[in-house]
Amino acid sequence: MSTDLAAAGARLDFTLAQQLTVIALCALTAFISHMALAVFNDGVRPFMLDFIQGRTTRTATTAVSFGLSAGFIFGLGAPMALASGVLNPWLVFLPTDILGILAPKRWLAPILGGAWGAVVVFGLNGANDLAHDLPVDFLTAMQAMSTPILFLFTLFPVLAITKQFGRLRGGIAGVVELALVILTMKLWPNMFAGALAMAVGVLMLIGFAIVKDLKQRRSDTAERVRAARPVEDPAADEDPMVSLFSASAARLRRYLPLFMVLGAGVCVLSQMHIFGGGEATSFLIAKGQYAEAAQVDFYRVFGFIPLIATTALASGAYGIAGFTLVYPIGYLMPNPWVAALVGAAVFAFEVLALSYIGKVLGKLPSVRDSSEHLRNAISESLRLAILFGSLMAANAMGGGLGILIVGGLYLLNEAMGRVVVRMAAAPAAVIVGGVLLNILYWLDLFTPVKG
């Protein structure tokens, strides 16, 4: 694995078509953000309603977006792109959220977004080349993060099942996943070992949730019959908030052509295989395992559909990547033209179906809960994987001293109240530690680790 990633890590030069795609997409996403139609950061989206309705200023909303995004951009997005050689949404879309909201004029937003896209495609390769020429090559060392990220990420369905349905079912899911990982490594060595295990784990979680909801509905119906009460009108079972979402859904539908262009752009970027939708996906794309990358990002969709749908309906602002279905679909498309058509169709379907999805989720509380547990499990597994991988990178570039610096910076960040968000703190510490080790080398106080 390390050999494959070493080769991939040096590939940060983009073709002209790829450069133009990134720049154009950044310009488009900044424009859409300026119009408050969509943002990538899920934490920013709930604040957009006040902005849309004029209860807060553009400056205040920009401050919120920057505060919630800066740590992910510089602590996670940039390090992951440099380590894997693959772009990611934190580096591409979070800055355009900020720049789009910041721009005081509509025409300025796409200019600022396009400028950021140019920084990414032209500046990233230069930074990569510079870092690889240093005596302590911390970017090559960061490729050690790939193994813990890929394998620990496999466990997120087990964590979600345990949190929602108890230790017994969680333990069973853990045993099943471990057996499937071993089986895959033995029978299909060229396949990502966690792919089949994650598929079964997610299916088990969804199955448990649906069975629980169906049992609850049957129980409620039986209770009404025993109480000799008439069956209520189906509309009475709907979430009372659904009626409040219609205005937001109608607002998004008015801009359907623009969303279709956005879906086409994101899908084309994914099809070019220079972009990965997540931490694990970036390394799989770097290795050329596009089917496995599509599988991983497809499972993540289940954790984010309820969140994105409800926040979009409540705020009137959609997600820049929609339900993120365009990621896995794009990885598998044969060419950019087909990707553009399919991406546009997917976004059209998502926007038109938002109200219906909201109603369905209102009737499936356990499925909604599963989504939240999935998101939390993804965060927990990746947090441990990134921390462990960062310490492996620290050891690779500086031995015990590297671990001391990187681990110390991480602990200092915790003690200071997490100035950098926890997910991004460890990769940021690796980069800072790499710079410090190079300074120590130039001061003749440190000898780089060989090999």
Side-chain angles (χ1 to χ4, degrees), residues 143-155:
Q143 292 164 12
M145 296 171 62
S146 64
T147 300
I149 287 176
L150 288 173
F151 280 87
L152 287 176
F153 184 74
T154 303
L155 292 174

Side-chain angles (χ1 to χ4, degrees), residues 367-409:
V367 174
R368 289 204 312 268
D369 291 344
S370 294
S371 169
E372 183 175 350
H373 286 296
L374 270 178
R375 292 197 310 275
N376 292 336
I378 288 171
S379 296
E380 289 179 15
S381 59
L382 285 175
R383 191 155 49 233
L384 175 62
I386 290 172
L387 174 60
F388 187 64
S390 297
L391 292 175
M392 290 175 63
N395 182 66
M397 69 182 182
L401 180 60
I403 292 175
L404 173 65
I405 293 174
V406 173
L409 288 171

